[in-house]
Amino acid sequence: LLIGAKGQLGNEIMKLGAGSEHDFVYADINGDGTDVLCLDISDEAQVSSMITPEFDVVINCAAYNEVDKAEEDSKTAQQINFYAPGYLADACKRADALLIHYSTDYVVEGKANVPYVEDDVLARANTKNAGFSECAWIEEATPEKEQSLEIGGM
């Protein structure tokens, strides 16, 4: 299951999946209901009903990534980047599915001269990164079946 299929990252993974031997199901908040299912990851009930044991792997590319608007619309940013990954982690745990979650470099201060590792202290300077930092803590709830990949920009 690829979530966020119509976004920049999800669209690229969707292209790769088209030539793959694996069967992909695509979902997005702007899904058309046919090729791409409609899924709002901020709705816990939708997430729970979508993620079933039929999925071995769930790839989450969905996020609130309008960094400049996150300060103004902190409620939406936190709902999508804080609560939603927790809903995904819980649903994947129930379905015994591997969750691959793409995060952002906003979870750290960005002042290091070396690559960050999982044990580094998370930054909480503002709303832009608060949701992302809290998201990373939620993911720690299911470490046995979760992979988080942090990316800077595309």
Side-chain angles (χ1 to χ4, degrees):
L1 175 62
L2 175 66
I3 300 170
K6 289 195 169 194
Q8 187 176 4
L9 177 60
N11 189 49
E12 291 303 315
I13 294 175
M14 195 164 88
K15 289 177 191 174
L16 292 172
S20 169
E21 63 189 56
H22 302 286
D23 295 326
F24 278 82
V25 174
Y26 305 107
D28 193 276
I29 193 165
N30 297 314
D32 57 20
T34 54
D35 295 334
V36 179
L37 302 176
C38 189
L39 174 64
D40 178 356
I41 63 167
S42 69
D43 183 325
E44 187 174 13
Q46 280 189 37
V47 170
S48 291
S49 65
M50 173 75 71
I51 299 175
T52 62
E54 88 177 81
F55 298 113
D56 297 320
V57 179
V58 175
I59 303 170
N60 180 37
C61 298
Y64 186 98
N65 59 7
E66 297 180 63
V67 176
D68 295 335
K69 292 183 179 179
E71 292 294 331
E72 300 161 17
D73 192 8
S74 62
K75 183 178 180 182
T76 302
Q78 287 188 337
Q79 184 64 32
I80 295 170
N81 295 333
F82 173 74
Y83 295 109
Y87 302 155
L88 293 169
D90 289 343
C92 285
K93 188 173 186 175
R94 283 191 301 275
D96 195 31
L98 170 67
L99 172 61
I100 299 172
H101 176 77
Y102 284 87
S103 187
T104 175
D105 60 348
Y106 279 102
V107 299
V108 291
E109 286 186 71
K111 296 178 182 176
N113 294 323
V114 296
Y116 289 98
V117 296
E118 290 82 4
D119 295 333
D120 286 333
V121 176
L122 301 175
R124 294 189 59 137
N126 54 41
T127 303
K128 292 177 189 177
N129 66 13
F132 293 117
S133 297
E134 291 159 341
C135 159
W137 292 323
I138 287 174
E139 290 167 6
E140 291 174 8
T142 57
E144 66 281 348
K145 281 267 188 174
E146 177 270 324
Q147 294 293 317
S148 182
L149 306 170
E150 294 174 6
I151 55 177
M154 293 186 54

